[in-house]
């Protein structure tokens, strides 16, 4: 399966990595020890793909009573920042895990440097004066061997001296590299004398200006794993062909050997997942920031209204395999619905209001009606909702020319107002240009609570808010970030941003029931019939802002069918 097909059925949660660990525990390979790590590069915020890796690594440690470290893979100073380090720690904790050790690859720079000297002394590494372009050009292709560097046969003494010079800042950036001496004809290109160190005068967020040479990912990663005595070094599939190199370094150095295991990365429809692309969205201001609720970042999902439980359930459901595919965004949304259905209290809110006047309801009268907070959770109890003569209902819940099967409000038709009464529409009032300004209705006092006194059938139930009690509030309605399912596929010469959905955000002024007045940032509620919403951090006293986390899609479709 390729990445541009969606995974047809749920992958079972059974997991080849667990089987391998069980084997290792049975054969004593790591003396029954299980130690994993989650190794993000602090060059961006974590996304939902990282959540898969977090759940896997921390989940394994938990399952086997082992340990999981958080290790920042900070070997690339030009792209790394403290802001990212801080956000990553927040996000890991928020997803629900606490690391055992907290480390940085930069903690090990001195040890990794000493190990490079070990390789040089063994005649297994050399200083190369080729430019980065020359190194690339002489690497060969999968079908054609590379060419030896003309500097490959330098003596150990000369290499030691030059490598020290590199470290001491004697040479210009990019003018020399330290390379492993393996085999330029190797079938696996990664073993064709790979670069271990480059010269780079860049300020490092932790080591400052101490170093002007930095280790390459391949040269650092396995050695960090080894220092931390990681047993299972779990990474994504693109590193499968790096494993022989990972093992070569460890073998040549004669140090503790972890087991690298690869699994397929998470791809989701209608969004992009690479940090580089997410950074573009932020830098070019396509979105408001890393935590824009349309971002697939953990901070974006959190702000949108996702819960850690939903994210963990989603990761559990998608499972772990070696097959590359793309998961439907709907699975992620379903996981949130399932969680919030149990937890979120129901409230009445009208997104696109139209005024309803109940002509036979006494002017000035207010009734406090009983409403159930959450039918899925009796412990959530009841609340009162005020009812009065002037109400708002959803513009969409009224049709002047109602088609057959439309069971909501229409001229001459009766509908049930949730928790309140049956009302009937008698007159449609319009302004000079023909826009509907209000609906004149009458109510039946005998239907209080929404019950039919005489068995007469009212199929539709709609939500409403009392106009004089309503709290106007900004509500942000989100759609997919991208307008196509596979936005990474772009026409020649174009950029993935052509696939951004121009209508991914709609802002409305909604009318809310008054019980929402002092609701705290981050609170999640279901607006009945509309979806699950979360209070945004842009809220201030007297000015609420809600994000729609997810619609009620499936439930909604079902209700329409049943005519509710
Ligand atoms: P990106 O390609 O999105 O920039 P990355 O792999 O460079 O991601 P890292 O910070 O190096 O990001 O990732 C930390 C860990 O998370 C790695 O072990 C990586 O394999 C894993 N990871 C990253 N993206 C995904 C994904 N989409 N699905 C599963 N695991 C992922
Ligand atoms: Mg990376």
């Amino acid at each position: 399966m390729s990445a541009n097909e969606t995974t047809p059925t749920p992958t079972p949660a059974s997991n080849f990595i667990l089987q391998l660990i069980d084997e290792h525990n049975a054969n004593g390979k790591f003396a029954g020890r299980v130690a994993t790590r989650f190794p993000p590069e602090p060059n961006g915020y974590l996304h939902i793909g990282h959540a898969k890796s977090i759940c896997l690594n921390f989940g394994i440690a938990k399952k086997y009573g082992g340990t999981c470290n958080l290790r920042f893979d900070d070997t690339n100073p030009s792209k790394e920042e403290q802001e990212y380090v801080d956000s990553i720690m927040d996000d890991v904790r928020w997803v629900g895990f606490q690391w055992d050790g907290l480390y940085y690859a930069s903690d090990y720079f001195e040890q990794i440097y000493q190990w490079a000297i070990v390789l040089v002394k063994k005649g297994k590494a050399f200083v190369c004066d080729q430019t980065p372009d020359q190194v690339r050009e002489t690497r060969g292709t999968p079908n054609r061997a590379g060419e030896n560097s003309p500097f490959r046969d330098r003596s150990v003494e000369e290499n030691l001296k030059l490598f020290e010079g590199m470290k001491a800042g004697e040479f210009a950036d990019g003018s020399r590299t330290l390379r492993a001496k393996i085999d330029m004809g190797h079938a696996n290109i990664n073993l064709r004398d790979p670069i271990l160190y480059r010269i780079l005068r860049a300020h490092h967020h932790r080591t400052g200006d101490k170093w002007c040479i930095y280790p390459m990912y391949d040269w650092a990663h396995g050695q960090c794993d080894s220092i931390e005595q990681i047993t299972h070094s779990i990474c994504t599939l693109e590193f499968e062909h790096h494993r022989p190199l990972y093992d070569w370094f460890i073998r040549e150095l004669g140090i503790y050997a972890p087991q690298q295991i690869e699994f397929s990365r998470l791809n989701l429809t209608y969004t992009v997942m690479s940090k580089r692309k997410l950074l573009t969205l932020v830098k070019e201001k396509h979105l408001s920031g890393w935590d824009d609720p349309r971002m697939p970042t953990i901070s974006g999902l959190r702000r949108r209204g996702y819960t850690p439980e939903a994210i963990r359930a989603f990761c559990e459901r998608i499972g772990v395999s070696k097959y590359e595919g793309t998961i439907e965004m709907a699975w992620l949304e379903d996981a949130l619905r399932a969680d919030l259905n149990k937890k979120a209290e129901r409230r009445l809110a009208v997104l696109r209001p139209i005024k309803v006047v109940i002509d036979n309801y006494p002017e000035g009268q207010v009734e406090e009606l009983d409403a159930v907070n959450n039918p899925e959770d009796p412990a959530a109890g009841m609340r009162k909702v005020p009812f009065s003569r002037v109400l708002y209902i959803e513009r969409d819940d009224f049709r002047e020319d109602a088609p057959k099967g439309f069971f909501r409000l229409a001229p001459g038709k009766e509908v049930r107002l949730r928790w309140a009464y049956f009302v009937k529409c008698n007159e449609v009032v319009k302004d000079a240009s023909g826009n509907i300004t209000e609906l004149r209705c009458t109510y039946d006092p005998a239907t209080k609570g929404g019950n039919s006194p005489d068995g007469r059938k009212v199929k539709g139930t709609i939500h409403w808010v009392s106009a004089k009690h309503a709290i106007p509030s900004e509500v942000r309605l989100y759609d997919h970030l991208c307008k196509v399912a596979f936005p990474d596929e772009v026409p020649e010469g174009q950029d993935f941003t052509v696939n951004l959905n121009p209508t991914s955000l709609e802002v409305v002024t909604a009318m809310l029931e008054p019980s929402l007045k002092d609701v705290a940032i981050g609170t999640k509620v279901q607006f009945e019939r509309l979806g699950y919403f979360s209070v945004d951090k842009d809220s201030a006293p007297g000015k609420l802002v809600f994000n729609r986390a997810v619609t009620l899609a499936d439930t909604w479709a079902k209700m329409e069918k049943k005519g509710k």
Side-chain angles (χ1 to χ4, degrees):
M1 170 169 275
S2 75
N4 64 355
E5 288 172 64
T6 50
T7 307
T9 48
T11 319
S14 86
N15 167 337
F16 74 97
I17 299 180
L18 300 185
Q19 287 169 19
L20 190 62
I21 295 177
D22 288 339
E23 268 170 44
H24 290 161
N25 283 345
N27 67 24
K29 175 162 180 179
F30 295 105
R33 213 166 49 83
V34 175
T36 57
R37 86 285 172 266
F38 172 63
E41 183 179 351
N43 61 348
Y45 281 57
L46 298 182
H47 51 60
I48 181 72
H50 292 113
K52 176 177 178 178
S53 178
I54 291 170
C55 290
L56 182 60
N57 281 296
F58 284 93
I60 284 173
K62 210 170 204 175
K63 178 175 162 67
Y64 290 95
T67 56
C68 182
N69 291 343
L70 174 61
R71 183 201 314 139
F72 289 102
D73 184 6
D74 56 351
T75 53
N76 195 2
S78 48
K79 292 186 179 163
E80 294 158 4
E81 288 173 29
Q82 187 62 35
E83 175 196 350
Y84 300 139
V85 168
D86 296 339
S87 76
I88 288 169
M89 293 200 278
D90 274 358
D91 287 348
V92 171
R93 282 199 208 97
W94 180 79
V95 172
F97 297 101
Q98 182 57 53
W99 47 89
D100 291 286
L102 174 66
Y103 300 108
Y104 295 79
S106 56
D107 294 341
Y108 312 131
F109 278 175
E110 181 61 34
Q111 173 68 77
I112 293 170
Y113 172 74
Q114 293 301 331
W115 275 331
I117 293 176
V118 170
L119 285 195
V120 172
K121 285 186 176 159
K122 283 181 77 176
K124 298 285 181 156
F126 65 100
V127 172
C128 180
D129 301 0
Q130 286 182 317
T131 64
D133 279 345
Q134 286 170 329
V135 171
R136 210 170 306 120
E137 282 156 20
T138 54
R139 191 177 289 144
T141 67
N143 306 319
R144 181 170 51 80
E147 300 154 38
N148 282 349
S149 159
F151 306 97
R152 202 174 194 261
D153 295 321
R154 278 178 162 148
S155 68
V156 167
E157 289 67 35
E158 191 183 2
N159 280 322
L160 280 175
K161 196 162 150 281
L162 287 172
F163 186 45
E164 264 168 38
M166 279 172 64
K167 183 188 179 228
E170 287 167 19
F171 311 118
D173 284 14
S175 62
R176 289 193 156 96
T177 57
L178 184 75
R179 296 174 69 178
K181 196 171 182 177
I182 308 180
D183 178 1
M184 288 305 288
H186 203 288
N188 182 339
I189 292 187
N190 295 308
L191 282 91
R192 294 183 188 170
D193 293 4
I195 294 176
L196 308 187
Y197 274 98
R198 66 238 153 98
I199 305 174
L200 180 66
R201 285 169 179 81
H203 189 81
H204 187 281
H205 73 112
R206 295 190 78 239
T207 57
D209 298 314
K210 179 169 179 215
W211 294 87
C212 66
I213 55 171
Y214 289 96
M216 302 300 287
Y217 173 89
D218 278 332
W219 170 240
H221 200 86
Q223 278 60 266
C224 294
D225 285 342
S226 179
I227 292 169
E228 291 174 22
Q229 302 261 310
I230 299 302
T231 54
H232 301 88
S233 172
I234 300 168
C235 59
T236 42
L237 271 186
E238 68 270 25
F239 291 104
E240 196 164 23
H241 299 295
H242 295 241
R243 182 165 14 109
L245 181 58
Y246 182 109
D247 293 341
W248 189 90
F249 288 141
I250 298 270
R251 207 168 47 242
E252 289 297 330
L253 295 173
I255 57 179
Y256 166 84
Q259 169 77 56
Q260 179 180 303
I261 307 169
E262 310 85 16
F263 70 102
S264 68
R265 53 201 297 130
L266 169 68
N267 302 299
L268 272 181
T269 54
Y270 296 101
T271 192
V272 290
M273 201 86 89
S274 95
K275 273 190 275 191
R276 185 179 57 76
K277 290 181 181 171
L278 298 178
L279 184 62
T280 302
L281 293 177
V282 175
K283 284 231 161 112
E284 294 180 2
K285 302 205 181 326
H286 295 280
L287 300 176
S288 65
W290 284 101
D291 68 347
D292 186 296
R294 288 164 288 180
M295 288 282 261
T297 51
I298 293 178
S299 53
L301 292 167
R302 167 169 46 184
R303 182 169 175 192
R304 179 152 171 167
Y306 270 80
T307 59
E309 292 81 2
I311 291 193
R312 294 199 302 265
F314 168 74
C315 291
E316 181 68 27
R317 181 177 175 201
I318 59 177
V320 176
S321 76
K322 280 194 180 270
Y323 303 103
E324 288 278 8
T326 301
I327 302 287
E328 306 269 5
M329 182 61 90
W331 287 25
L332 182 60
E333 296 174 347
D334 273 345
L336 183 61
R337 281 187 200 107
D339 188 41
L340 292 185
N341 182 42
K342 291 177 289 174
K343 292 179 188 158
E345 294 197 358
R346 278 51 169 171
R347 291 292 181 268
L348 298 178
V350 176
L351 296 183
R352 296 174 185 87
I354 182 169
K355 205 193 243 180
V356 167
V357 180
I358 317 282
D359 283 312
N360 61 340
Y361 195 84
E363 197 104 39
Q365 178 173 313
V366 178
E367 280 175 277
E368 295 287 337
L369 302 175
D370 289 319
V372 173
N373 281 333
N374 185 355
E376 301 293 322
D377 176 16
M382 310 275 291
R383 72 185 185 288
K384 299 282 188 190
V385 222
F387 185 85
S388 67
R389 189 165 187 267
V390 183
L391 313 171
Y392 293 119
I393 65 162
E394 208 70 61
R395 196 163 272 275
D396 262 5
D397 282 337
F398 175 78
R399 293 285 160 82
E400 206 169 2
D401 300 302
K404 197 168 171 290
F406 183 81
F407 298 113
R408 293 168 273 160
L409 198 60
K413 292 268 172 60
E414 203 173 32
V415 75
R416 179 188 293 103
L417 297 181
R418 181 76 153 149
W419 311 121
Y421 296 99
F422 290 3
V423 295
K424 187 173 171 183
C425 177
N426 305 305
E427 191 193 340
V428 181
V429 182
K430 295 183 183 173
D431 63 14
S433 24
N435 301 311
I436 300 175
T437 54
E438 65 182 47
L439 307 170
R440 312 293 303 205
C441 298
T442 45
Y443 84 119
D444 177 355
T447 58
K448 187 166 179 175
N451 303 309
S452 177
D454 50 10
R456 82 178 182 272
K457 283 240 159 55
V458 167
K459 281 196 174 174
T461 301
I462 63 173
H463 55 276
W464 55 276
V465 174
S466 164
K468 81 169 163 205
H469 302 94
I471 310 173
S473 159
E474 177 176 332
V475 176
R476 300 173 182 169
L477 305 170
Y478 299 103
D479 194 0
H480 292 145
L481 175 63
C482 300
K483 60 188 176 191
V484 294
F486 302 102
D488 293 319
E489 294 173 359
V490 283
E492 265 300 300
Q494 288 191 320
D495 177 56
F496 78 98
T497 53
V498 301
N499 287 327
L500 290 176
N501 177 3
T503 55
S504 58
L505 170 61
E506 185 193 355
V507 180
V508 297
T509 301
M511 294 295 175
L512 316 181
E513 66 164 83
S515 69
L516 287 165
K517 184 167 169 281
D518 294 319
V519 78
I521 290 171
T523 305
K524 284 139 194 81
V525 289
Q526 183 196 98
F527 290 164
E528 293 216 34
R529 299 178 63 232
L530 298 172
Y532 293 97
F533 294 73
S534 179
V535 183
D536 191 77
K537 66 174 189 187
D538 286 347
S539 299
K543 175 189 168 280
L544 284 174
V545 179
F546 280 83
N547 297 312
R548 183 166 63 197
V550 65
T551 60
L552 297 178
D554 301 347
T555 332
W556 174 230
K558 249 186 260 156
M559 284 191 8
E560 285 274 83
K561 231 187 244 156
K562 281 202 262 165
K564 277 197 177 166

